[in-house]
Amino acid sequence: MIIVFTGTAGSGKTTITTRFGKYLAEKGYEVGYVNLDTGVKKLLYKPDIDVRKTITVEKIMKEGYGPNGAIVESYDRLMPHIDEYIAGILELKQKKDYVIIDTPGQMETFLFHEFGVKLMENLPEPLVVYLFSPEILRKLHDYCFVRFFALMIDLRLGATTIPAMNKIDTIDDLERHKKYIEDLEYLTTRLKLDPSTHGLLAYKLCTFLPEVSPPIRILYLSAKTREGFEDLETVAYEHYCTCGDLT
Amino acid sequence: MIIVFTGTAGSGKTTITTRFGKYLAEKGYEVGYVNLDTGVKKLLYKPDIDVRKTITVEKIMKEGYGPNGAIVESYDRLMPHIDEYIAGILELKQKKDYVIIDTPGQMETFLFHEFGVKLMENLPEPLVVYLFSPEILRKLHDYCFVRFFALMIDLRLGATTIPAMNKIDTIDDLERHKKYIEDLEYLTTRLKLDPSTHGLLAYKLCTFLPEVSPPIRILYLSAKTREGFEDLETVAYEHYCTCGDLT
């Protein structure tokens, strides 16, 4: 099984990769690790495949690039090696029960650069876990935003994508967040009260979500307390057994 | 008028800011420039407001951060100064005909970090131009993706967002791209032929687009040839005169 963690810089991809991998290993599974982040300095897991063997952002910055240009350039330079990376991941998949892929630090590199899109196209049924922090949920619109953002990842990468709130150990109002994220009828009713143009957009998008979104379980994770790890394991198992029905 | 250019690293934000600003200045308008990118090394325009006066990514990297962590950290350190930046932009708006805002190199910083979201909330009716390169349009799904991505920006920032294909001077099949992006009936019919789960998702999203998307003009820009600059000027003008109807 291939599990891909994505999310913005700071959403906890690398930590979850490390801790969830350890959790699986403790259960007796063979776990393979893939690092696709050319910018990461230190990893707490030992990657079987690591793009930094080809190039790092820091090396490119020493040539005079700024950080943004260097990040893009690093994936441009990975492109000639993409077939080797794909073959390496497929080979690793043969040897391991789980392959966990830790994606570029900047999520947009993964979603927009040909490297991320082409790599994903060539993996068999990868399950994408879209990590977001509770701190990005400031307004009602934001709950609609994270649900749709998971669909955008699905659409762009052509891979089943599960939204997963990460770092739940840092908050004390998980139930309130859950209510807004999962009970779309409740969220829609609340959004309807906002008469602005942007309130109307959120309302329309939210109303449409049940029609377009496949029935999906949402995850609530903590790398610290391991909350949600069993759910994630179940969802991954079901993804591979049922080919996509994650009710 | 406030025009905000956003898009992924490499989508041409800084170049368009420079060239479109020059275009407006040549027409006799007073133009103010704001740089929100803590990672940029050199600018071809002279910013009236520049976040690099507070902090730069490179300075933070010298403290031992990797590039991804340093980018996030730089915006964390801008947060205590956000009110000054908002006040500065509002003041600049009083003095100038146009204020052009060049956003963080990584689009996700702008969309996900509190700095970007809070700043936008406090600006009066900014018009966001979402720049994307033709090279990200590889599959039929991608046309649906860029249209929806503009809506995601709109939803997240609460600001009218126009999708704008940039760098059109680099392609020779603009008309084909235009057909797929603008003629949703045509795109939907083509998407219907893809029987996969992800084909179905794209089809459903695309079918829904006319219902949820406000009638919007799509821009096709080239900083090199100035193509589309007049359209952008018209759209910005109409945005401020009609408060959002950009048919």
Side-chain angles (χ1 to χ4, degrees):
Chain A
M1 298 191 219
I2 299 178
I3 299 175
V4 181
F5 288 112
T6 194
T8 58
S11 61
K13 299 181 287 289
T14 302
T15 312
I16 278 279
T17 297
T18 310
R19 303 283 174 84
F20 186 63
K22 195 160 175 257
Y23 163 88
L24 291 172
E26 282 172 19
K27 290 193 121 189
Y29 295 112
E30 290 284 327
V31 182
Y33 297 92
V34 178
N35 170 48
L36 299 182
D37 188 355
T38 50
V40 68
K41 285 192 94 163
K42 249 195 294 190
L43 293 175
L44 295 168
Y45 60 89
K46 203 179 155 297
D48 298 276
I49 295 169
D50 190 344
V51 289
R52 294 175 304 172
K53 284 201 178 152
T54 304
I55 194 71
T56 66
V57 174
E58 293 203 61
K59 198 177 160 194
I60 295 176
M61 285 183 73
K62 281 181 190 145
E63 296 172 20
Y65 283 79
N68 297 311
I71 290 169
V72 175
E73 178 68 17
S74 69
Y75 290 92
D76 288 348
R77 294 194 198 174
L78 281 174
M79 276 309 290
H81 305 276
I82 189 163
D83 290 338
E84 300 154 40
Y85 281 108
I86 292 166
I89 295 170
L90 295 178
E91 201 183 311
L92 191 63
K93 188 180 173 287
Q94 298 301 322
K95 287 190 231 157
K96 306 285 184 178
D97 300 310
Y98 286 88
V99 172
I100 304 182
I101 302 183
D102 185 11
T103 61
Q106 305 292 326
M107 176 168 57
E108 68 187 62
T109 313
F110 191 51
L111 289 183
F112 286 87
H113 198 285
E114 199 184 347
F115 184 82
V117 179
K118 209 172 160 195
L119 187 115
M120 289 297 287
E121 274 174 10
N122 284 280
L123 300 183
E125 291 287 337
L127 177 68
V128 178
V129 180
Y130 161 50
L131 301 171
F132 58 91
S133 302
E135 64 196 20
I136 73 160
L137 303 168
R138 295 169 63 240
K139 293 174 298 188
L140 285 177
H141 299 187
D142 299 327
Y143 296 93
C144 177
F145 176 80
V146 292
R147 292 291 306 262
F148 255 97
F149 208 88
L151 287 180
M152 289 298 102
I153 298 172
D154 192 322
L155 178 64
R156 177 73 178 159
L157 300 178
T160 301
T161 303
I162 310 269
M165 184 190 283
N166 196 14
K167 307 183 188 180
I168 60 165
D169 53 281
T170 63
I171 52 167
D172 50 16
D173 54 351
L174 179 60
E175 290 310 315
R176 190 180 61 84
H177 284 307
K178 269 191 183 172
K179 180 91 181 147
Y180 284 122
I181 290 181
E182 298 199 357
D183 189 344
L184 290 175
E185 212 175 307
Y186 180 68
L187 180 59
T188 310
T189 312
R190 294 291 306 273
L191 283 168
K192 210 175 179 176
L193 303 174
D194 176 354
S196 72
T197 318
H198 302 286
L200 185 64
L201 172 65
Y203 171 72
K204 279 187 184 169
L205 282 168
C206 195
T207 312
F208 181 61
L209 204 48
E211 282 177 57
V212 72
S213 172
I216 218 160
R217 201 182 304 164
I218 292 159
L219 297 170
Y220 303 91
L221 305 175
S222 163
K224 205 168 166 181
T225 65
R226 289 189 172 187
E227 273 174 278
F229 279 15
E230 210 177 312
D231 288 343
L232 173 53
E233 188 189 347
T234 308
V235 165
Y237 180 79
E238 287 170 0
H239 173 67
Y240 282 92
C241 294
T242 63
C243 290
D245 183 3
L246 302 180
T247 316
Chain B
M1 295 189 221
I2 298 178
I3 299 176
V4 180
F5 288 112
T6 193
T8 60
S11 60
K13 300 182 284 293
T14 302
T15 312
I16 278 279
T17 297
T18 310
R19 303 283 172 84
F20 185 64
K22 194 159 177 260
Y23 163 88
L24 291 172
E26 282 172 20
K27 291 193 120 187
Y29 294 112
E30 289 284 326
V31 182
Y33 298 90
V34 178
N35 170 47
L36 299 182
D37 189 354
T38 51
V40 69
K41 286 191 94 164
K42 249 194 294 189
L43 293 175
L44 294 169
Y45 59 89
K46 202 177 157 297
D48 298 277
I49 295 170
D50 191 344
V51 289
R52 294 175 304 171
K53 283 201 178 152
T54 304
I55 194 72
T56 68
V57 175
E58 293 203 60
K59 197 177 160 193
I60 295 176
M61 285 183 74
K62 281 182 189 143
E63 296 172 19
Y65 283 79
N68 297 311
I71 291 170
V72 175
E73 178 68 18
S74 69
Y75 290 92
D76 287 349
R77 294 194 198 175
L78 282 175
M79 276 309 289
H81 305 276
I82 189 163
D83 290 338
E84 299 154 40
Y85 281 108
I86 292 166
I89 295 169
L90 295 178
E91 201 184 310
L92 192 62
K93 186 179 173 288
Q94 298 300 323
K95 288 189 232 158
K96 307 284 184 178
D97 299 310
Y98 285 89
V99 173
I100 304 183
I101 302 182
D102 184 11
T103 61
Q106 305 292 326
M107 176 168 57
E108 69 187 61
T109 313
F110 192 52
L111 288 183
F112 286 86
H113 197 286
E114 201 185 345
F115 184 82
V117 178
K118 210 173 158 195
L119 187 115
M120 289 297 286
E121 273 173 11
N122 284 280
L123 300 183
E125 291 286 336
L127 177 69
V128 178
V129 180
Y130 161 49
L131 300 171
F132 58 91
S133 301
E135 64 195 21
I136 73 161
L137 304 168
R138 296 169 63 239
K139 292 175 297 188
L140 285 178
H141 300 188
D142 299 327
Y143 295 93
C144 177
F145 176 81
V146 293
R147 292 289 306 262
F148 254 96
F149 207 87
L151 286 180
M152 290 298 102
I153 299 172
D154 192 321
L155 179 63
R156 177 72 178 159
L157 300 178
T160 302
T161 303
I162 309 270
M165 184 189 284
N166 196 15
K167 307 184 189 182
I168 59 165
D169 54 281
T170 63
I171 51 168
D172 50 17
D173 54 351
L174 179 61
E175 290 309 316
R176 189 179 61 84
H177 285 306
K178 268 191 184 173
K179 179 92 180 147
Y180 284 122
I181 291 182
E182 298 199 359
D183 188 344
L184 290 176
E185 212 176 306
Y186 180 68
L187 179 59
T188 310
T189 313
R190 295 290 308 271
L191 282 168
K192 210 176 178 175
L193 303 174
D194 176 354
S196 72
T197 319
H198 302 288
L200 186 64
L201 172 66
Y203 171 72
K204 279 186 185 169
L205 283 168
C206 195
T207 312
F208 181 62
L209 205 47
E211 283 176 57
V212 72
S213 173
I216 218 160
R217 201 183 303 165
I218 293 160
L219 296 170
Y220 303 91
L221 305 175
S222 164
K224 205 168 166 180
T225 65
R226 290 188 170 188
E227 272 173 279
F229 279 15
E230 210 177 312
D231 288 342
L232 172 53
E233 188 190 347
T234 307
V235 165
Y237 180 79
E238 287 169 2
H239 172 67
Y240 281 91
C241 294
T242 62
C243 289
D245 183 4
L246 302 181
T247 316

